[in-house]
Amino acid sequence: MNIDNSNYKERPILFTGEMVRAILCGKKTQTRRVVKPTKDRNGSGCELAPCEIAGEINKSRNFDLSPYGKIGDRLWVRETFCPIFPQDPDYNNGEPIEYDYRADYQHGTRLGDVLGIKKIWKPSIFMPRDAARITLEITNIRVERLNDISEEDALAEGVKKKVILDWPLITRAAWCEFRNLWSGINGEESWDLNPWVWVIGFKRI
């Protein structure tokens, strides 16, 4: 499929520190987000349920229903951050001169660390566009049930098989690790609810 991405749109997306690190090292190329009911944009005014959205996306590729955009659109990553301001407040109009990112920040990098000044980390939801260091291009998008994730897709989510025993080698499947990750973020019962989810494939640019 040839996709014209010359007129792409950008949207923000939140990731935890663990997932940011997975993106940075190239292990995470996919994310899942719960599908929420939305208005039919074809003029009917009806609210489409997640199962109806799944049918529209997977059969007709009606990307207008996607809150994350279409193939070729871009997502800029919001993560926990700390703006660094100049010592002279009149310099640069008091705007940040750069940013630190909690996901991979090494304590001792800044003079303030040495002086014992506590860093004030800001929640990812408050990150402005100009502070973002990671931009992703959507390469694929579909809708499926959460529990339908394959082992290959679980690995693309940035998790890996967990070694249970070194010898003989016994590992726990990557999809089990993804289930634990999902439940840790969304609640213990969230996996069993098996919601419809957006499956968004991406590459870092």
Side-chain angles (χ1 to χ4, degrees):
M1 179 185 298
N2 293 323
I3 301 296
D4 178 12
N5 59 2
S6 58
N7 295 314
Y8 65 83
K9 293 183 179 180
E10 285 193 338
R11 296 169 178 82
I13 188 168
L14 276 69
F15 281 104
T16 64
E18 180 182 359
M19 292 298 97
V20 167
R21 291 189 291 273
I23 291 173
L24 291 174
C25 69
K27 293 181 179 179
K28 185 172 179 66
T29 58
Q30 201 175 91
T31 188
R32 280 163 170 72
R33 306 294 164 115
V34 173
V35 177
K36 298 179 181 179
T38 188
K39 290 289 185 180
D40 182 4
R41 295 174 188 147
N42 290 326
S44 70
C46 298
E47 185 174 76
L48 298 178
C51 60
E52 295 173 307
I53 295 172
E56 285 289 313
I57 291 291
N58 296 336
K59 292 179 182 179
S60 66
R61 312 296 283 175
N62 183 7
F63 292 115
D64 287 341
L65 295 172
S66 167
Y68 301 99
K70 63 182 186 302
I71 297 174
D73 281 352
R74 296 179 181 181
L75 302 168
W76 56 273
V77 174
R78 278 178 161 162
E79 57 179 304
T80 304
F81 71 109
C82 178
I84 305 300
F85 294 95
Q87 294 183 351
D88 183 352
D90 294 327
Y91 175 76
N92 203 31
N93 295 320
E95 294 295 321
I97 53 176
E98 56 182 319
Y99 299 90
D100 288 333
Y101 304 93
R102 192 169 189 174
D104 57 356
Y105 183 75
Q106 298 294 320
H107 184 77
T109 302
R110 298 288 181 186
L111 177 60
D113 298 337
V114 179
L115 297 177
I117 300 174
K118 185 178 180 180
K119 293 188 76 67
I120 301 177
W121 295 105
K122 293 185 177 293
S124 54
I125 190 65
F126 298 123
M127 173 178 274
R129 177 65 181 97
D130 61 359
R133 58 173 172 166
I134 303 174
T135 302
L136 310 171
E137 181 179 310
I138 297 176
T139 57
N140 188 33
I141 187 165
R142 67 181 190 274
V143 177
E144 67 182 26
R145 288 286 193 176
L146 176 64
N147 293 178
D148 288 342
I149 188 171
S150 66
E151 184 72 359
E152 181 181 3
D153 280 357
L155 293 170
E157 281 276 1
V159 300
K160 59 183 179 180
K161 298 178 181 180
K162 184 175 182 179
V163 176
I164 305 299
L165 188 65
D166 288 327
W167 183 259
L169 181 63
I170 299 176
T171 61
R172 186 160 61 204
W175 77 264
C176 291
E177 292 305 303
F178 175 75
R179 178 189 60 192
N180 294 338
L181 174 67
W182 180 276
S183 299
I185 295 174
N186 299 284
E188 289 297 328
E189 76 292 344
S190 58
W191 180 265
D192 293 334
L193 291 175
N194 195 22
W196 290 95
V197 291
W198 295 101
V199 182
I200 307 161
F202 57 78
K203 64 180 180 180
R204 187 181 174 197
I205 57 173

